[in-house]
Amino acid sequence: MKVGRILLVLALALAGGGPAGAPAAAEPVHRVSYDKHSLMVDGQRVLVQAAEFHYFRLPSPELWRDILEKEKAAGFNAVSVYFDWAFHSPAPGVYDFSGVRDVDRLLRTAEQVGLYVIARPGPYINAETSGGGFPGWLKLVPGRARSSAPGYTAAYRDWLGHINPIIARHQITRGGSVLLYNVENEYAVNTDAAYMQDLQDTARGHGIDVPITTNLCCDAASWTSTWASGPGAVQIPGVDDYPQSFDCGNAATVWGAWGAGITERVRDDVPVFAAEYQAGAIDVNNAGYEACRELTGVAYTRYFPKSNLITSGATAFSHYMGFGGTNWGWLAQPNDVYTSYDYGAAITETRQLTAKYDEYKRQGYFLHAVAGSLTRTDPVAAPAAAGLETLARANPDDGAQFVLVRNPGTAAVSSTLDWGPYAFPVTLAGHDAKVLVGGYALGGQRLVASTSEILTHETIGGRDVAVLHGNQDAPGATVLRYSSRPRVTVLEGQVTTTFDAGHLRLDYTHTGLARVLIDGGGRRPLLLLLGTSEAAASFWRADTAAGPVLVRGTALLRSATARPGTLALRADTAAAGPVEVFTGGRAVTVNGERVPTRRTPSGSLLGRLPGPRPVALPALTGWRQHAEAPEAAPGFDDSRWALADKTSSLSPFAPLTQPVLFSDEYGFHTGSVWYRGRFTATGGETSVSLNAITGKRGNYLVWLNGRYLGSAAGGVQADSDAPANPSPGAGEFAVPAGLLKPGGPAVLSVLVQNMGHNDDWTADDNRFRQPRGLVGARVNGSAAPVTWRIQGTAAIDPVRGGLNNGGLYGERAGWTSPGYADRNWPSAGTTVPAGVTWLRTAFQLDLPSGQDTSVVLRFAGPPPAGYRAVVYLNGWQLGQYGAEIGPQTDFVLPAGPLRQNGRNTLAIAVIATSPSSVTTPTQAVAGRQRGGVQGS
Ligand code: GAL
């Protein structure tokens, strides 16, 4: 047996002694180590199958458990989590980890659910978050971001000083479940080794003792460092792969546009880690997330991750994203995403499970079942099948073989797989792949070979239960070895058997679910369930103290607990119907209720479960309306606004005029900002030239002495990806004749919709420090000086955080909050003038308890061109709707912000560039299941 180099990570920290002030190194609860094949916990090899989840994109801590349980139920054993610095720090030195920012609760929940955590605190995270996770205030800190510059260093150390201790106490070495710690993110260009090293030294100083990783992007050709050796090297470099690109609009034709998705080995002595493996896509072309789900759909998921598994030998995977969530508030980076971050993921933004989820489950259960063998394999010669590609790996210790059979073409192929003494018929659809297993200890059985894929095998009630599957109508053959001919009883379906020289061969066509009982032959009994892939996906597995159980018929199995004589399940149902339970126990409860059951010929328990109750959502009526924008009126008192008088900034973008009007310079980093420029008119004014940078999807509206002059689109990203645009968001506004009286006062009022901060993917200040707000303002025809004042967000919302509110008048005056008294507002009409108008209504909900109802706010699309609507539910900014923003018409109202049994208030800010007819939204049910996480 080859003994790999085993690195006891903890020993490093202990040997180093740790910097002063570091927590004392206690005896670890568990030890993490690794060799070239896999990670190990307490010496046991672990195959890491993670899904990415962003708690900050689900403002509902009670629902974090829902997502984590759904991941776990799909066979994921880990969750990968970015921690978004900007989400926790609205101002320098201010950090908040309460409520929706309670990451301690998140990590505790992951532990309770039984998921390892890959912790990714950045400081830079990308992730289509505003600033790539950098707080807006960082733009005012000197020193290049993502480098060892002192100003940046002090800032990120402060962040890590807050987040690392929380992560540290949840490490597996201390009884928690954090298994890996990821520094930085795709730090591949403009690299600085001293910075990479300091991130790790800082983490170690804060008590991080699990292996440190980083995620490299995306192909070796572009790497300036792999962080595999030398200063800044991490222990386990991981690699990101997005083989399908982000071209959701062409989902039907894209296939491996960005490569084969084979994770590269960057170090010989550590496991191959697919740190971000594409599991969805951002919707850069506004095709809608269903198109992204198709781009990265079942076919992609069957072909690419399976190919990677066998080709790369990777034993640690993280799929980006498992659940995408919502860019609520001003979380989003403006250029690539809109409110929804659904991502076309396996679990939708409304928390519903998809066909893609089923595919991850088939693979997740398989990986769980075979991990013992698959975590230590080497490439071997593969059995051949004409017209198909085959590749194989084998475990040198137990001899288990894993054979990838794939069809790279688009037409179905029927062939023969020459595997040892056998010539098996195999049929693969176009672009399909399977991983077949042979020479394998299937529980107490010996699997010689099978052309069906393994879903799972468990020992339940003293016998083995194995579920194998294949495509509908595809031929299947399974060969098992026995010392003598066993008794074979086909309980259901059509299966033929032959026994020859100790080999029992079963031949069948995959259709429905065949059931075969095999008893004797020198082994314990086996219930072999041979089904279609669809039938396989109907199974759920869970572990209990009394051993594993399998359940069929529920929409989800959240957990199972063995009580004396009884199996207690927590499960969801989407409709009334049968439930079948494979358990050693005699009785079953589901969500606390006893389920009458009878024993089936398969030895399982069969009962019936009720479905969810119907849900009636109230109509949204009684809208009231109030126009705002008093800031446009000449007499508005702006004396308490900040004076915009700076003459320089740290941004490489040179202001087009003086003074510097960049909103960040005055502490306004989030959402809308107002400007008021005062001057004495000469009467010669002809026009006003303005320029604003907002990020994509932003705009600005202009008034002069209360007269609306019009609007323009804000400027978009100009960075090293696209040559700097000297005039990114220009607008020319003619001064109406007679509006300004010579010698009279003039006030120019400008409302700018800033859409969030550029990311810093290129580690390049041109991109990250690009300003927001006005970057140039000139009154043509006059040399009179203009005095500018600026106002943005008035106060940081202590509950919803610093990214929730911008600086609209209604936001500053509390019009978004449920308690605001709007009874004097008139009833809403159907039109709004140019400018800002607010709509408000309230509604009462009383959703059924004991069930999970997912509610969305639905606008009758398509999104309008003349206005944008910013939606607040009980003060939470949950969506932005409009043609300039994106294709989205449904906005998720998550429980938490949505009081499912109580009174709710909706406030909508309508920002119209021209007089518009507005439609008010309705509510709709996006999913309902009996069960859910309520009460847990
Ligand atoms: C990766 C990056 C992630 C995310 C993803 C696209 O390159 O590491 O943070 O931005 O691309 O969704």
Side-chain angles (χ1 to χ4, degrees), residues 120-169:
R120 313 211 288 162
Y124 184 71
I125 62 169
N126 208 63
E128 291 74 63
T129 52
S130 180
F134 284 157
W137 57 258
L138 192 67
K139 289 164 108 172
L140 305 186
V141 173
R144 181 162 70 82
R146 305 183 79 188
S147 83
S148 56
Y152 173 65
T153 302
Y156 78 68
R157 282 190 185 158
D158 197 24
W159 157 240
L160 294 179
H162 286 87
I163 190 70
N164 278 346
I166 303 175
I167 296 171
R169 63 175 180 261

Side-chain angles (χ1 to χ4, degrees), residues 119-215:
R120 313 211 288 162
Y124 184 71
I125 62 169
N126 208 63
E128 291 74 63
T129 52
S130 180
F134 284 157
W137 57 258
L138 192 67
K139 289 164 108 172
L140 305 186
V141 173
R144 181 162 70 82
R146 305 183 79 188
S147 83
S148 56
Y152 173 65
T153 302
Y156 78 68
R157 282 190 185 158
D158 197 24
W159 157 240
L160 294 179
H162 286 87
I163 190 70
N164 278 346
I166 303 175
I167 296 171
R169 63 175 180 261
H170 287 281
Q171 291 174 107
I172 187 161
T173 48
R174 299 197 195 169
S177 69
V178 173
L179 181 68
L180 288 174
Y181 179 93
N182 190 140
V183 289
E184 253 287 345
N185 190 83
E186 299 187 337
Y187 191 46
V189 290
N190 293 322
T191 53
D192 177 338
Y195 163 54
M196 269 303 258
Q197 191 56 51
D198 187 66
L199 293 177
Q200 297 175 66
D201 295 345
T202 302
R204 294 296 186 215
H206 291 143
I208 298 296
D209 54 24
V210 294
I212 295 184
T213 179
T214 195
N215 56 316

Side-chain angles (χ1 to χ4, degrees), residues 288-304:
Y289 283 108
E290 282 315 314
C292 299
R293 216 178 323 279
E294 190 191 335
L295 178 76
T296 57
V298 174
Y300 160 79
T301 310
R302 288 171 73 91
Y303 194 90
F304 285 81

Side-chain angles (χ1 to χ4, degrees), residues 82 125-128 185-186 215 217 240 242 246 276 282 320 341 343 761:
Y82 278 134
I125 62 169
N126 208 63
E128 291 74 63
N185 190 83
E186 299 187 337
N215 56 316
C217 175
D240 298 350
Y242 287 83
F246 300 116
E276 277 179 31
I282 42 177
Y320 192 102
Y341 197 72
Y343 215 80
W761 196 73

Side-chain angles (χ1 to χ4, degrees), residues 472-719:
Q472 172 76 42
D473 297 330
T478 295
V479 181
L480 294 153
R481 199 169 71 206
Y482 291 93
S483 55
S484 59
R485 185 183 198 113
R487 278 187 308 285
V488 179
T489 317
V490 177
L491 300 169
E492 222 175 298
Q494 297 215 325
V495 179
T496 59
T497 57
T498 53
F499 186 76
D500 184 23
H503 283 190
L504 175 73
R505 174 169 172 164
L506 301 96
D507 281 280
Y508 45 89
T509 298
H510 294 101
T511 167
L513 184 70
R515 300 173 184 236
V516 185
L517 202 55
I518 304 172
D519 201 356
R523 300 191 188 277
R524 64 175 173 241
L526 166 68
L527 176 69
L528 191 57
L529 303 169
L530 303 163
T532 59
S533 300
E534 198 185 326
S538 69
F539 283 87
W540 300 95
R541 72 169 304 285
D543 290 301
T544 75
V549 296
L550 291 174
V551 174
R552 255 192 110 200
T554 57
L556 177 70
L557 176 62
R558 293 179 182 274
S559 68
T561 311
R563 308 239 161 82
T566 301
L567 178 69
L569 303 177
R570 288 173 56 242
D572 290 9
T573 53
V579 60
E580 182 177 11
V581 184
F582 297 82
T583 167
R586 291 184 309 279
V588 175
T589 64
V590 174
N591 302 335
E593 308 247 332
R594 181 70 185 265
V595 181
T597 57
R598 66 177 171 78
R599 179 108 20 215
T600 70
S602 301
S604 54
L605 298 177
L606 190 65
R608 234 190 119 68
L609 291 178
R613 274 167 284 166
V615 174
L617 294 171
L620 298 177
T621 56
W623 292 92
R624 294 175 183 276
Q625 179 167 337
H626 195 303
E628 58 141 83
E631 298 91 341
F636 179 80
D637 178 8
D638 60 18
S639 57
R640 278 181 300 185
W641 288 16
L643 193 64
D645 56 357
K646 293 198 178 183
T647 53
S648 66
S649 102
L650 291 175
S651 173
F653 187 94
L656 303 180
T657 57
Q658 284 289 345
V660 173
L661 297 172
F662 309 168
S663 51
D664 293 298
E665 293 296 329
Y666 304 96
F668 303 121
H669 308 297
T670 306
S672 320
V673 286
W674 273 100
Y675 293 87
R676 283 171 53 90
R678 243 174 240 280
F679 58 97
T680 302
T682 63
E685 295 83 357
T686 52
S687 65
V688 179
S689 301
L690 296 174
N691 213 305
I693 304 184
T694 56
K696 260 192 209 166
R697 309 165 210 264
N699 66 2
Y700 59 101
L701 284 67
V702 185
W703 290 260
L704 183 60
N705 277 0
R707 176 91 61 92
Y708 180 63
L709 300 188
S711 71
V716 299
Q717 182 155 342
D719 60 33

Side-chain angles (χ1 to χ4, degrees), residues 715-804:
V716 299
Q717 182 155 342
D719 60 33
S720 49
D721 286 352
N725 178 351
S727 186
E732 285 290 316
F733 304 91
V735 173
L739 179 63
L740 299 183
K741 306 277 176 283
V747 181
L748 193 59
S749 299
V750 185
L751 171 62
V752 182
Q753 302 294 307
N754 286 334
M755 300 301 287
H757 301 285
N758 284 353
D759 61 42
D760 194 18
W761 196 73
T762 45
D764 151 12
D765 275 2
N766 284 325
R767 182 164 173 147
F768 167 57
R769 280 189 215 268
Q770 189 182 77
R772 290 292 177 264
L774 287 179
V775 297
R778 181 175 298 113
V779 180
N780 300 309
S782 164
V786 184
T787 308
W788 285 97
R789 287 185 183 273
I790 178 171
Q791 175 67 55
T793 315
I796 293 163
D797 185 318
V799 173
R800 302 167 188 90
L803 298 177
N804 191 62

